[in-house]
Amino acid sequence: MLSGVTLRKSFSIACAFAAAAFGEPVASASIVERVVAVIGERPVLWTELLRRGAVGRVQIRMQTHDPNVISVQEQEMYKELLERMIDDRLEEQQADKARINTAPEEIDRGIANIAAQAQQQQGRAVSVADVLDEVRRRGMTEQEFRDEIRRQIVEGKLVELRVRPRVRVTDQDAHASYQHWVQELREREPVDVRILAVRIPATATKAQVEARSALAQELAQRARAGENFCNLVTQYSDDASTRDTCGSRGPQPIASLMPVIQDAMRGLKVGSVSDPIAVDTGQDQVLVILMPLGEAKVPAFDEVKDEMLQKALLEGLDRARKQWLKELRRNVYINVRL
């Protein structure tokens, strides 16, 4: 059975433990009760929303101390959380109709899984007691935490019962997931690229611009013809910081490169030489010639086919669940007052 703890990507508790980031406790304040939404005939109270947002508030305060930024981020967090609470209520109604229950032992296993995930990611021992201590430190009671795990388990059971029959995964779906995964992998994995930079000063005349452009074209052709790229960098590059490293700044994620260089890198094979690419530095223009040295090692599709089928299934379930919830909303009175 697919776990709701696995399916709910937006739930942050497991991620918070795995990151092992510790923030300040949320300050207490007087609370004025009010209704923030009505679902059918049942209200959602502001205090309910506050309780569910405890972990989110701590995470926001861990990232910034600017009160204006905190206020904006919390408002967005509450809006998203309220939408999720509406979905939870709709799923509770469906669970009641289907007579779906959750035993305490299932909740215990869910918490143990979170501890195991945190242990694997942190590389140190993490017990269930550690997880519960962190829950309390982040402003939730153990019962509130167990309620959240219960909701996710119920969601997983509902997805299996009501959503899974709507999803059929094919090899084509797996190939599509593989292509997306490869792109994500290449975005994350460090790449090493040599750059030969030919600067064109902002004050250059038309003749000077043409001369520098012609030089860049010539250098690209000479590199393609087999001339030593490092020698060309040493002799001609205007980037003094990389003249002694053959034009390389060392391995770095492709996402950290300038967008125009990223686009060029995606079309280049290792060891090939690009045409001169115009890069605007804000002061001068630079014509850069690229030679990629390495890229992410990507396994063949057949090596990861099972994983890609599972990835395609989860993506399909997520889409189908959203559609199912939209259908449920059409048949229920919902009034958001936040």
Side-chain angles (χ1 to χ4, degrees):
M1 176 173 291
L2 294 165
S3 167
V5 177
T6 299
L7 288 172
R8 176 156 308 172
K9 298 178 182 178
S10 57
F11 183 51
S12 58
I13 291 178
C15 296
F17 294 127
F22 295 92
E24 299 176 357
V26 180
S28 60
S30 60
I31 298 173
V32 178
E33 187 63 280
R34 60 191 175 97
V35 174
V36 293
V38 178
I39 308 165
E41 298 180 353
R42 292 181 58 188
V44 178
L45 302 178
W46 173 239
T47 49
E48 295 179 77
L49 187 60
L50 284 179
R51 282 197 299 271
R52 291 285 295 274
V55 172
R57 288 196 302 275
V58 171
Q59 288 182 323
I60 289 171
R61 284 166 170 74
M62 287 164 58
Q63 295 167 0
T64 180
H65 296 289
D66 186 326
N68 293 324
V69 175
I70 290 174
S71 177
V72 170
Q73 291 186 355
E74 285 192 352
Q75 287 178 24
E76 288 301 312
M77 184 265 290
Y78 285 133
K79 288 179 182 177
E80 293 177 6
L81 182 56
L82 183 55
E83 290 298 313
R84 193 157 76 240
M85 291 176 69
I86 292 171
D87 289 342
D88 288 342
R89 287 281 177 89
L90 295 174
E91 289 181 331
E92 285 176 14
Q93 293 173 2
Q94 294 300 309
D96 289 342
K97 291 180 181 178
R99 297 184 179 179
I100 291 175
N101 297 310
T102 303
E105 294 78 12
E106 294 177 274
I107 298 173
D108 292 339
R109 285 196 296 271
I111 298 174
N113 288 339
I114 291 175
Q117 179 186 352
Q119 180 170 305
Q120 182 179 16
Q121 294 186 10
Q122 294 181 34
R124 65 178 179 84
V126 178
S127 66
V128 168
D130 293 330
V131 171
L132 296 178
D133 286 343
E134 183 67 7
V135 164
R136 287 186 284 267
R137 200 187 63 77
R138 288 176 179 271
M140 291 180 75
T141 66
E142 179 178 341
Q143 187 57 52
E144 288 169 346
F145 181 58
R146 292 180 69 87
D147 288 342
E148 183 63 50
I149 301 301
R150 179 190 59 77
R151 279 189 288 269
Q152 295 186 39
I153 293 172
V154 168
E155 178 184 298
K157 292 179 178 181
L158 276 171
V159 166
E160 190 72 16
L161 180 65
R162 302 298 188 201
V163 179
R164 180 65 181 86
R166 300 182 176 204
V167 179
R168 179 175 176 271
V169 178
T170 65
D171 282 353
Q172 184 177 358
D173 296 322
H175 276 285
S177 293
Y178 175 74
Q179 294 301 325
H180 293 155
W181 175 71
V182 167
Q183 186 62 44
E184 292 170 359
L185 181 65
R186 285 177 172 156
E187 294 287 341
R188 291 195 312 268
E189 291 297 313
V191 295
D192 199 353
V193 57
R194 291 173 175 168
I195 296 179
L196 194 163
V198 178
R199 187 171 70 92
I200 302 178
T203 57
T205 65
K206 181 180 179 181
Q208 289 172 328
V209 170
E210 291 175 350
R212 298 297 285 171
S213 298
L215 174 61
Q217 289 287 354
E218 177 193 341
L219 294 175
Q221 292 172 4
R222 287 166 62 178
R224 288 198 192 101
E227 194 165 338
N228 188 287
F229 195 85
C230 296
N231 291 342
L232 293 175
V233 169
T234 302
Q235 186 175 354
Y236 294 101
S237 182
D238 290 318
D239 183 4
S241 64
T242 60
R243 280 199 202 112
D244 296 332
T245 58
C246 198
S248 173
R249 297 182 185 275
Q252 53 192 313
I254 192 171
S256 68
L257 302 174
M258 298 181 72
V260 66
I261 295 179
Q262 292 183 38
D263 292 341
M265 284 285 292
R266 294 187 182 103
L268 289 173
K269 295 181 180 179
V270 174
S272 62
V273 177
S274 73
D275 290 326
I277 302 162
V279 176
D280 190 349
T281 66
Q283 296 178 337
D284 300 330
Q285 187 178 69
V286 178
L287 299 175
V288 297
I289 302 167
L290 308 178
M291 174 185 277
L293 294 179
E295 60 182 3
K297 295 181 179 178
V298 179
F301 172 75
D302 288 341
E303 297 177 43
V304 292
K305 181 177 179 179
D306 290 344
E307 290 89 338
M308 293 303 105
L309 285 169
Q310 180 67 10
K311 187 173 186 292
L313 173 61
L314 292 176
E315 291 169 351
L317 287 172
D318 186 55
R319 290 191 298 269
R321 175 179 172 269
K322 290 176 181 177
Q323 181 59 40
W324 176 62
L325 288 169
K326 283 182 181 180
E327 294 168 5
L328 293 180
R329 285 185 179 227
R330 294 193 193 109
N331 300 317
V332 177
Y333 171 76
I334 298 174
N335 183 7
V336 176
R337 303 177 182 178
L338 183 62

